[in-house]
Amino acid sequence: MKKILLGTAALAFSASMAMAASHMQTVRMGTEGAYPPYNFINDAGEVDGFERELGDELCKRAELSCEWVTNDWDSIIPNLVSGNYDTIIAGMSITDERDEVIDFTQNYTQPDPSAYLVMTGNEGLDLGSAVIAAQTGTIQASFVAESGATLVEFATPDETIAAVRGGEADAVLADKSFLKPISDEGGDLVMLDQEELIGGGVGLGIRESDGELKAKFDAAIQSMKDDGSLNALIEKWEIGAPF
């Protein structure tokens, strides 16, 4: 009799778990898929990287079911606002300008130093009079435009690197964590010593109308900061300084 009762209880528990799962809110996570180590598409054609691992863990802690969506960087904010997905988790730095259009969660990375990459032999470049490539719509593009140097913008990170190799630009300015692996290859590109600290760290972009969703992700990020698991991910993927 006890075994029958235990079996009935187990079935009831399984059914309740399945029902809870079916009622779990589905959140579409919008990313670029072209900015390693933050996010990229792996050999299996799936979103991978620091933000994939982080996003999956945040959804688990917030009791959300997550789907991953990729979108070009230059339209990533308009497509969030228009409802094509529910968050931006794409290495997006928190800035006042962006905060006028969307909301941000608390930051899940510290401000990542931005660095310059040049052709080997061009280490003595005068940055003040240089032609500097940056990805369109980034904090680096805004920084170069305000610095007095000549800015050339490109839609993707890979195009900024190609511009330096092809002689369209003297240098590229981007997150150091993106440029360092390229520099470390020891080929024709080298990173300059000069760094720039821009922005207020990276956070999830959320529609201004989705205050409840923002609160859930804020709590999940804070819990990962509190238990050290966020720092572990930052160190694993070499995303700047830990908290």
Side-chain angles (χ1 to χ4, degrees), residues 35 112-115 140 174-181 191 195:
Y35 202 62
D112 188 22
S114 294
Q140 288 86 7
D175 288 332
K176 184 178 179 180
S177 57
F178 169 68
L179 296 178
K180 188 175 184 299
M191 199 156 52
E195 297 178 357

Side-chain angles (χ1 to χ4, degrees), residues 41-58:
I41 304 301
N42 63 24
D43 292 340
E46 297 175 345
V47 174
D48 204 339
F50 166 70
E51 285 170 321
R52 175 61 194 263
E53 226 178 311
L54 172 67
D56 285 346
E57 180 62 23
L58 291 176

